[in-house]
Amino acid sequence: LEETRERRFDYFARVIQKAFRKMVDSKHAEKMKDYGANLFFGHKERRSESLNRNFYGDYIGIEHRPALLALIGRKERVLFADTVTRYDKKFRVTALKNFFTWKIFLLLPMVDNMLLSPTLLVS
């Protein structure tokens, strides 16, 4: 009876020690993270809004454009979608819609919001 009680207390002590070590390690990691952030605070070379800006992925609202959604597929998850301006040799402007999914990378040239022939780069 005494031996089982000692084993049980030993088990409890190990659980408490493991939780304590985990707590101390997480506090140390948080302290190091704050130290690293404070080390570079005010010394950035980039824009001030760039550090904590959220990444949305879909910057053109593809859910609200059924024609574009039909090209990609309704069940395909869009990782990144944005409009890019391209200049050719004579500095003519062409608007391109870029779409990245897990399976495809599409460049869609647009002229006056009309879709030209799509270019499938990777499939």
Side-chain angles (χ1 to χ4, degrees):
L1 187 64
E2 190 78 24
E3 189 176 316
T4 57
R5 190 172 135 227
E6 286 296 322
R7 261 191 265 137
R8 198 69 173 155
F9 283 152
D10 183 57
Y11 171 74
F12 290 148
R14 288 175 192 267
V15 168
I16 292 170
Q17 287 172 353
K18 186 176 178 182
F20 180 76
R21 278 195 302 269
K22 193 174 181 181
M23 182 198 63
V24 168
D25 288 344
S26 68
K27 279 187 178 180
H28 179 70
E30 186 68 30
K31 192 185 297 183
M32 294 303 290
K33 182 178 166 185
D34 289 342
Y35 173 74
N38 290 335
L39 188 65
F40 290 106
F41 184 73
H43 299 288
K44 287 177 31 172
E45 298 290 326
R46 294 172 29 178
R47 293 179 297 169
S48 60
E49 302 89 30
S50 66
L51 182 63
N52 293 324
R53 186 173 65 91
N54 291 332
F55 174 73
Y56 296 109
D58 181 13
Y59 291 98
I60 60 174
I62 197 163
E63 299 91 20
H64 308 296
R65 298 174 184 222
L68 297 177
L69 197 57
L71 283 173
I72 294 171
R74 294 202 178 273
K75 294 191 176 191
E76 192 70 34
R77 181 171 175 257
V78 176
L79 299 174
F80 182 78
D82 197 11
T83 303
V84 178
T85 304
R86 184 179 77 180
Y87 298 94
D88 62 1
K89 293 178 185 177
K90 296 182 180 180
F91 291 101
R92 288 182 290 200
V93 177
T94 305
L96 295 172
K97 304 275 187 195
N98 290 342
F99 297 100
F100 293 93
T101 67
W102 285 110
K103 294 181 182 177
I104 60 173
F105 171 59
L106 269 176
L107 282 176
L108 303 174
M110 307 290 279
V111 175
D112 298 326
N113 287 333
M114 299 287 293
L115 176 66
L116 299 177
S117 62
T119 306
L120 180 65
L121 295 180
V122 177
S123 177

